């Protein structure tokens, strides 16, 4: 059926550009890049300076009370508390020899338990007014106030958001320059850009946590960026050549006659009595006919599609199709003709064989 009616898709150079998409994508992408710049140039350097100062701090001289040195105090653990779950958290309530009773919080990535520690004597070390770590049993446990690696959060968010912003700007540029040259509602080029920038953003969000040092993280991010760009270029060239070799965008679908009544998501549109409001929602495919229903639970009075409807070809959705002829990016469109009127039936790729089977059988029975 599709082979006989196969036609080359005409060019669509005159189709209008969607300026709202171009403007919004470019504006949001630019804003995300500015957020990345702010994260990498303002809070991240501050955390790096704090980390360097902490690593360079020396023990306080006896009898001094300065905050920029490491002030160690004996303490006793009064009680502990733990919250279990995917990321367990630990709290330690202590009383120092100076009479202070700080509550120490430890992040869930610490691999230890505080069971049975109540009453134990430990040493707590202050720096800049906060307890940074405790010493007990020849081990050092860093609290959540540990400034080491605090830059990672800002670097990860910056790289992830910057990648998303770059992707949106590239999509906006493609939309402005090339969208008017395709008649497809779901062209492949934005998909390549989205997959590439999503991969880059995921790498940017994870690398700071697995690579030691911000310079190494940026270098690794640059390497991943080069690999992703090369991969996207290879995929784009392959898809472009594959599409250039096609003489038609007709999709060959083998009709399948339903064994029993099957309810499918589908839309029928056209200047025919059955292509109006009731032509959207759901279809009922049977062995001898195709019917339209407004709701899968309401099948008392299905509206049968007449046997005069002739299927012509199956193709991807076009931008020139009716606006509501849309079931998502897995949708296919069946071009039909009822007399001299064009009719369009949209269904998912999985459902289209049943739609074709029901229409083809109904037409064959009508012609007998």
């Amino acid at each position: 059926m599709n082979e006989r009616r196969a036609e080359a898709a005409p060019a669509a150079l005159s189709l209008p550009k969607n300026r709202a998409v171009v403007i919004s994508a470019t504006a949001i992408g630019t804003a995300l890049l500015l957020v990345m710049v702010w994260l990498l140039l303002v809070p991240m350097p501050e955390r790096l300076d704090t980390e360097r100062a902490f690593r360079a701090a020396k023990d306080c001289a006896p009898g001094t009370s300065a905050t920029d040195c490491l002030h160690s105090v004996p303490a006793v653990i009064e009680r502990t508390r733990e919250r279990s779950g995917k990321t367990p958290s630990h709290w330690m309530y202590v009383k120092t020899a100076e009479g202070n009773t700080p509550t120490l919080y430890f992040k869930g990535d610490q691999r230890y338990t505080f069971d049975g520690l109540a009453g134990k004597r430990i040493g707590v070390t202050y720096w800049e007014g906060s307890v940074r770590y405790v010493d007990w049993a020849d081990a050092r446990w860093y609290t959540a106030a540990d400034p080491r690696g605090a830059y990672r959060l800002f670097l990860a968010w910056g790289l992830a958001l910057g990648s998303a912003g770059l992707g949106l700007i590239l999509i906006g540029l493609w939309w402005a320059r090339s969208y008017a040259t395709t008649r497809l509602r779901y062209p492949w080029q934005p998909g390549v850009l989205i997959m590439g920038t999503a991969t880059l953003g995921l790498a940017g969000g994870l690398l700071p946590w697995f690579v030691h040092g911000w310079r190494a993280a940026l270098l690794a991010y640059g390497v991943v960026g080069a690999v992703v760009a090369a991969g996207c270029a290879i995929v784009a060239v392959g898809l472009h050549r594959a599409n250039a070799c096609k003489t038609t965008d007709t999709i060959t679908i083998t009709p399948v006659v339903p064994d029993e009544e099957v309810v499918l998501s589908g839309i029928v549109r056209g200047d025919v009595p059955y292509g109006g409001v009731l032509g959207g929602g759901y279809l009922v495919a049977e062995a001898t006919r195709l019917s339209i229903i407004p709701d899968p639970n309401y099948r008392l009075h299905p509206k049968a599609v007449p046997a005069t409807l002739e299927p012509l070809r199956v193709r991807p959705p076009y931008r020139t199709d009716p606006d509501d002829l849309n079931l998502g990016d897995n949708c296919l469109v069946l071009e039909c003709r009822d007399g001299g009127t064009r009719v369009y039936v949209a269904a998912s790729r999985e459902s289209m064989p049943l739609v074709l089977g029901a229409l083809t059988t109904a037409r064959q029975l009508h012609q007998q």
Side-chain angles (χ1 to χ4, degrees):
M1 184 272 296
N2 290 314
E3 294 292 338
R4 181 173 60 87
R5 297 288 182 176
E7 311 172 353
L13 298 177
S14 61
L15 288 173
K17 300 175 183 178
N18 194 331
R19 297 186 182 278
V21 173
V22 175
I23 294 173
S24 59
T26 305
I28 296 174
T30 303
L32 291 177
L33 285 179
L34 291 176
V35 172
M36 178 197 71
V37 172
W38 179 81
L39 287 171
L40 299 187
L41 296 183
V42 179
M44 193 182 85
E46 292 177 355
R47 270 53 178 194
L48 287 171
D49 291 341
T50 302
E51 177 178 342
R52 282 191 288 267
F54 174 69
R55 291 182 181 275
K58 305 298 182 181
D59 292 335
C60 294
T64 60
S65 58
T67 61
D68 59 349
C69 57
L70 301 177
H71 179 53
S72 300
V73 184
V76 176
I77 302 175
E78 294 188 327
R79 63 187 179 92
T80 62
R81 181 165 64 92
E82 181 176 340
R83 184 182 65 188
S84 59
K86 184 178 291 186
T87 55
S89 302
H90 308 273
W91 287 265
M92 182 183 292
Y93 301 85
V94 303
K95 185 174 182 179
T96 70
E98 297 174 342
N100 299 321
T101 57
T103 299
L104 310 182
Y105 172 65
F106 296 82
K107 295 180 180 179
D109 57 356
Q110 305 280 358
R111 296 182 179 180
Y112 45 67
T113 178
F114 289 165
D115 292 341
L117 293 185
K120 300 292 184 180
R121 295 185 177 276
I122 61 174
V124 300
T125 299
Y126 287 85
W127 184 76
E128 295 292 349
S130 299
V131 177
R132 307 296 177 164
Y133 57 84
V134 301
D135 292 303
W136 179 77
D138 298 328
R140 176 163 293 176
W141 299 345
Y142 285 89
T143 69
D146 177 18
R148 300 173 310 159
Y151 71 90
R152 288 190 172 96
L153 179 64
F154 300 95
L155 180 57
W157 273 107
L159 295 180
L161 294 178
S163 301
L166 176 63
L168 288 173
I169 290 177
L170 291 176
I171 290 174
L173 290 175
W174 178 87
W175 222 285
R177 295 173 59 87
S178 304
Y179 185 56
T181 65
T182 177
R183 64 188 295 113
L184 297 178
R185 178 171 287 176
Y186 302 107
W188 58 266
Q189 291 90 342
V192 174
L193 292 174
I194 290 172
M195 290 300 297
T197 53
T199 302
L200 187 60
L202 180 62
L206 294 178
L207 283 173
W209 305 100
F210 294 96
V211 178
H212 181 70
W214 64 274
R215 291 185 180 87
L218 289 178
L219 178 61
Y221 178 77
V223 172
V224 172
V227 173
V228 169
C232 288
I234 293 173
V235 171
V237 170
L239 290 175
H240 177 73
R241 290 182 176 177
N243 283 281
C245 293
K246 293 180 180 179
T247 58
T248 177
D249 57 5
T250 297
I251 300 174
T252 301
I253 298 290
T254 303
V256 175
V257 179
D259 295 330
E260 57 184 12
E261 180 181 281
V262 182
V263 178
L264 312 168
S265 295
I267 301 174
V268 180
R269 286 292 179 266
D271 190 15
V272 289
Y274 53 89
V277 176
L278 289 179
Y282 296 88
L283 304 174
V284 179
E286 303 175 66
T288 57
R289 66 174 184 173
L290 183 72
S291 304
I292 304 169
I293 56 175
D295 187 276
N297 298 318
Y298 182 77
R299 297 188 238 171
L300 295 179
H301 303 287
K303 191 175 188 64
V305 174
T308 55
L309 185 66
E310 178 187 5
L312 299 178
R313 70 181 187 120
V314 179
R315 58 165 174 79
Y318 286 167
R319 293 168 55 193
T320 51
D321 290 335
D323 291 338
D324 55 352
L325 191 73
N326 187 8
L327 292 175
D329 55 4
N330 192 38
C331 167
L332 295 179
V333 174
L334 172 62
E335 289 185 2
C336 304
R337 182 171 55 202
D338 193 344
T341 304
R342 285 277 180 171
V343 180
Y344 305 94
V345 181
S348 68
R349 184 177 293 270
E350 294 77 15
S351 302
M352 189 58 74
L354 296 174
V355 172
L356 272 174
L359 286 176
T360 302
T361 303
R363 187 167 178 79
Q364 290 173 349
L365 293 175
H366 175 72
Q367 292 174 345
Q368 290 179 356

